[in-house]
Amino acid sequence: MSLTLRTISREQHLAYIQSLPSASHMQVPAWADVKAEWRSENLGWFDERTGEMVGAGLVLYRQLPKIKRYLAYLPEGPVINWFAPNLDDWIQPMLAHLKQQGAFSVKMGPPVIIRRWNAETIKRGIQSPDVKRLRDMEADFIEPRAFEVADKLRRMGWQQGEDGGAGFGDVQPRYVFQVPLANRSLEEVHKNFNQLWRRNIKKAEKAGVEVVQGGYQDLAEWQRLYEITAVRDHFRPRPLSYFQRMWTALNTEDPNRMRLYFARHNGVNLSAATMLIVGGHVWYSYGASDNIGREVRPSNAMQWRMLRDAYALGGTVYDLRGISDSLDETDHLFGLIQFKVGTGGQAAEYLGEWDFPLNKLLHKALDIYMSRR
């Protein structure tokens, strides 16, 4: 297949995304409005023979201080046929185009899964003293074509993200936790939860925890819980304006792109979460909770409601987003995987993020600058 690449309109881009079973929420045109501090461009790949669009990418450009050169970033993209035998013919025109646009370096995250580990396998790994990381165990599923993609990228001169995949060093998490929903009944999904999760869902129900959907006007209440969480878990919270922008941008593009949930007890909101939807892929994207009311298990109740809603929407996967690959109980991120494993889903490893230095000197300078931050 002979391909051409050109800039497309947001409408063309959105129509293409809507024609697919799913794509990353970071590759929908409206994501450019969420990331307002970046300049953006929509790219389309076309089959020369038929004129049909066969791929798309959202590119975010970040300008270097004082000079008109840019880092070009395609988060969890581009959305192309990664297993095409002629991957070069897809990637090279993109690099040439981005160079023309003034990019000195390109970063992308191929949405390609290499391995999956089932919850049972992970539980065994946690109990084994010899296992420290997910990779120390044999995966339940391996995608051989993913290794070919990695080889092709290396041969083209792409460099794999710094941490080589230890989890959160990349801009986007390399390891995520997903509950598959396709071809399963809700009863099966519930049965696959571990005993603790099932008990906690029941506990919340008995205590009278209600899970409700909120709207734009409730984002200030979301922010209150999120800032409590940030203090407790030692991270820098995003401002309220970020979530307001996210809500407006994503739901203007598609009224069902972003949802907000609260779990409340006796009229008091105890936990909250945002949910994103693109086709059959549903993400739990941000979570927050108060320091009080934990004994009534609001977070378990909320996840179960979100999962049921994802199922009702025709979701094929409920994605709990990032985990670390560490199975060491002393690791500060261990609680995260422990909580998510309880859903009976799978840990999935993506190919990670890759960089292509178009200007080696500026790329190196950026590396140094980033490492000092």
Side-chain angles (χ1 to χ4, degrees):
M1 177 168 47
S2 292
L3 296 165
T4 49
L5 174 96
R6 60 174 182 271
T7 301
I8 54 173
S9 70
R10 285 180 67 140
E11 292 71 30
Q12 279 174 295
H13 187 168
L14 182 60
Y16 181 71
I17 295 288
Q18 285 168 336
S19 76
L20 303 173
S22 73
S24 168
H25 60 274
M26 295 181 196
Q27 282 295 308
V28 300
W31 194 251
D33 302 329
V34 179
K35 297 292 171 190
E37 68 282 16
W38 299 65
R39 180 166 71 85
S40 68
E41 186 183 21
N42 308 78
L43 296 180
W45 280 258
F46 293 84
D47 180 342
E48 275 179 10
R49 207 170 35 87
T50 61
E52 186 195 354
M53 190 156 133
V54 288
L58 174 69
V59 188
L60 301 173
Y61 293 98
R62 193 63 170 279
Q63 191 175 343
L64 271 182
K66 300 190 178 60
I67 54 171
K68 270 212 155 34
R69 300 302 292 279
Y70 303 87
L71 166 68
Y73 181 34
L74 295 97
E76 297 185 0
V79 184
I80 59 173
N81 177 8
W82 283 95
F83 300 136
N86 57 335
L87 193 57
D88 263 40
D89 300 351
W90 293 79
I91 301 291
Q92 296 306 346
M94 178 182 86
L95 287 175
H97 173 84
L98 297 175
K99 191 171 188 174
Q100 234 174 349
Q101 296 295 306
F104 67 89
S105 187
V106 182
K107 182 185 274 296
M108 66 177 182
V112 174
I113 287 176
I114 315 182
R115 303 178 181 88
R116 290 181 189 276
W117 294 264
N118 293 336
E120 282 309 314
T121 305
I122 298 168
K123 278 182 216 159
R124 281 199 303 274
I126 290 169
Q127 284 154 9
S128 163
D130 304 332
V131 174
K132 292 282 176 265
R133 304 194 163 275
L134 280 172
R135 282 199 179 179
D136 297 341
M137 296 181 298
E138 207 174 314
D140 294 290
F141 164 83
I142 289 180
E143 173 54 83
R145 296 177 301 173
F147 296 96
E148 291 169 28
V149 174
D151 283 346
K152 285 175 184 173
L153 291 175
R154 275 191 205 98
R155 283 204 297 272
M156 280 182 227
W158 288 84
Q159 300 163 1
Q160 198 158 21
E162 274 311 288
D163 74 349
F168 286 101
D170 295 355
V171 181
Q172 301 309 327
R174 178 154 184 181
Y175 292 89
V176 299
F177 204 86
Q178 300 177 338
V179 180
L181 301 177
N183 310 316
R184 297 174 77 196
S185 68
L186 266 179
E187 290 71 42
E188 272 175 77
V189 173
H190 185 263
K191 228 187 250 154
N192 243 13
F193 282 0
N194 71 10
Q195 225 176 342
L196 186 64
W197 263 81
R198 291 203 299 271
R199 212 172 34 233
N200 286 345
I201 290 167
K202 215 177 223 150
K203 203 179 217 174
E205 240 167 70
K206 256 204 181 117
V209 172
E210 293 179 275
V211 181
V212 296
Q213 264 184 262
Y216 181 87
Q217 70 286 355
D218 301 301
L219 285 168
E221 173 63 358
W222 148 264
Q223 193 69 17
R224 180 185 75 82
L225 291 167
Y226 174 61
E227 288 182 8
I228 290 170
T229 310
V231 171
R232 185 178 65 236
D233 294 348
H234 312 292
F235 65 84
R236 202 167 82 212
R238 290 187 181 276
L240 173 60
S241 58
Y242 180 83
F243 294 102
Q244 289 172 327
R245 191 164 69 231
M246 196 170 168
W247 183 275
T248 306
L250 296 178
N251 288 338
T252 300
E253 178 175 275
D254 178 333
N256 209 11
R257 186 75 84 219
M258 179 175 176
R259 289 182 173 194
L260 177 62
Y261 288 84
F262 291 97
R264 57 171 65 144
H265 186 241
N266 297 335
V268 180
N269 292 318
L270 297 176
S271 59
T274 59
M275 181 160 118
L276 301 176
I277 302 142
V278 184
H281 204 129
V282 180
W283 292 265
Y284 152 54
S285 66
Y286 283 89
S289 61
D290 206 329
N291 298 326
I292 57 165
R294 294 183 153 204
E295 68 286 349
V296 295
R297 304 300 176 200
S299 293
N300 298 89
M302 186 173 63
Q303 288 296 342
W304 177 227
R305 162 71 191 273
M306 288 165 71
L307 210 148
R308 292 198 318 266
D309 285 2
Y311 190 88
L313 286 164
T316 52
V317 61
Y318 180 67
D319 196 322
L320 291 131
R321 289 292 284 167
I323 52 171
S324 146
D325 72 332
S326 172
L327 299 181
D328 179 354
E329 297 188 19
T330 60
D331 191 299
H332 70 292
L333 291 168
F334 177 74
L336 200 58
I337 194 166
Q338 201 176 27
F339 177 74
K340 294 177 182 182
V341 162
T343 61
Q346 305 169 323
E349 179 192 357
Y350 279 90
L351 260 187
E353 298 203 314
W354 294 70
D355 297 299
F356 194 95
L358 290 163
N359 177 317
K360 289 198 168 63
L361 201 67
L362 286 176
H363 179 81
K364 189 87 193 119
L366 178 79
D367 264 0
I368 293 166
Y369 167 71
M370 292 308 279
S371 65
R372 286 185 185 154
R373 286 182 68 187

